[in-house]
């Protein structure tokens, strides 16, 4: 009998120890989970802050020690474009000739030099201090369409804004789709470019299309390297 009682006592002690261990494990698990969640949360905050600092430094608008040296590279245009005869002068001459000849349609070539001259003239008239009008330019390529280069001389790293758009024409209406937007070394994702810029561009095109309809109906825009050919029906 004494052996049985001793066996029972030992069994009870083991059961008691097991119960205490379970309680201890149950109380320590939530603490460990809380600590692991806290660590993950702070790591996420640290990553987001670091990512934000990297993006800001990559724009070149401000200079952040060490980070700017790693993330920013000074943007340069694809090639240098010198200003030529402004677009408005070429278009006016072509329209005058078309009206004089009673031509039903016309076409004329617009070069990147002409667009650059018009862009610089516009910036100078509006007195944009943030953009260097003397170095702003427009280049044209079959692949990228129109690429605008806007130097920002007052920025910390003398950065620039680069905007590429593709223009098309259908039934007398010009449509412009933004393809690329960059500030310094930071390139905005294509989906965000369309989301943020498309509504603004469309609102600006409304008045332009209305003005053009009084003279011509633009039916086609053909891209060449360094120029575009605009085909239009003349409203006689």
């Amino acid at each position: 009998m004494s052996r049985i009682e001793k066996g029972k006592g030992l069994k009870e002690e083991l059961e008691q120890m097991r119960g205490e261990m379970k309680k201890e494990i149950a109380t320590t698990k939530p603490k460990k989970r809380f600590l692991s969640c806290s660590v993950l949360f702070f790591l996420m905050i640290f990553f987001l802050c670091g990512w934000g600092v990297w993006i800001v430094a990559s724009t070149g608008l401000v200079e952040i020690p060490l980070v700017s040296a790693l993330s920013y590279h000074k943007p340069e245009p694809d090639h240098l474009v010198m200003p030529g005869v402004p677009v408005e002068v070429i278009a006016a001459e072509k329209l005058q000739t078309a009206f004089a000849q009673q031509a039903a349609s016309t076409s004329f070539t617009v070069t990147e030099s002409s667009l650059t001259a018009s862009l610089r003239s516009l910036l100078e008239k509006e007195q944009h201090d943030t953009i260097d009008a003397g170095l702003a330019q427009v280049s044209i390529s079959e692949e990228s369409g129109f690429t605008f280069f806007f130097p920002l001389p007052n920025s910390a790293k003398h950065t620039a804004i680069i905007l590429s758009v593709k223009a098309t024409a259908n039934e007398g209406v010009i449509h412009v789709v933004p393809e690329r937007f960059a500030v310094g070394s930071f390139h905005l994702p294509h989906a965000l470019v369309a989301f943020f810029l498309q509504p603004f561009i469309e609102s600006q095109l409304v008045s332009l299309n209305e003005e053009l309809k009084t003279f011509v109906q633009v039916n086609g825009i053909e891209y060449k390297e360094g120029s575009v050919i605009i085909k239009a029906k003349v409203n006689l």
Side-chain angles (χ1 to χ4, degrees), residues 82-100:
M82 299 302 294
V85 180
V87 175
E88 53 271 22
V89 174
I90 297 174
E93 290 178 353
K94 284 289 182 180
L95 285 176
Q96 286 176 3
T97 303
F99 285 131

Side-chain angles (χ1 to χ4, degrees), residues 119-196:
L119 175 64
R120 292 183 182 183
S121 177
L122 177 63
L123 293 174
E124 287 170 358
K125 285 180 181 177
E126 296 188 1
Q127 297 180 345
H128 277 284
D129 295 333
T130 55
I131 299 174
D132 189 345
L135 294 176
Q137 67 170 53
V138 185
S139 58
I140 303 173
S141 70
E142 294 183 64
E143 182 180 356
S144 303
F146 301 93
T147 299
F148 296 82
F149 184 81
F150 299 107
L152 305 177
N154 297 326
S155 58
K157 302 290 286 184
H158 300 287
T159 187
I161 295 173
I162 300 175
L163 172 64
S164 294
V165 299
K166 262 293 183 71
T168 58
N170 184 27
E171 296 181 355
V173 178
I174 296 176
H175 303 278
V176 176
V177 178
E179 298 288 342
R180 178 169 67 114
F181 181 83
V183 182
S185 298
F186 173 67
H187 294 257
L188 192 67
H190 186 267
L192 295 180
V193 171
F195 179 78
F196 286 111

Side-chain angles (χ1 to χ4, degrees), residues 14 16 22 35 38 46-47 53 77 91 112 119 122 150 154 156 172 174 179 190 196 199 215 218:
L14 290 173
Q16 185 177 356
K22 286 183 177 179
L35 288 173
S38 299
F46 177 78
F47 172 78
V53 170
E112 56 191 14
L119 175 64
L122 177 63
F150 299 107
N154 297 326
I174 296 176
E179 298 288 342
H190 186 267
F196 286 111
F215 303 103
V218 181

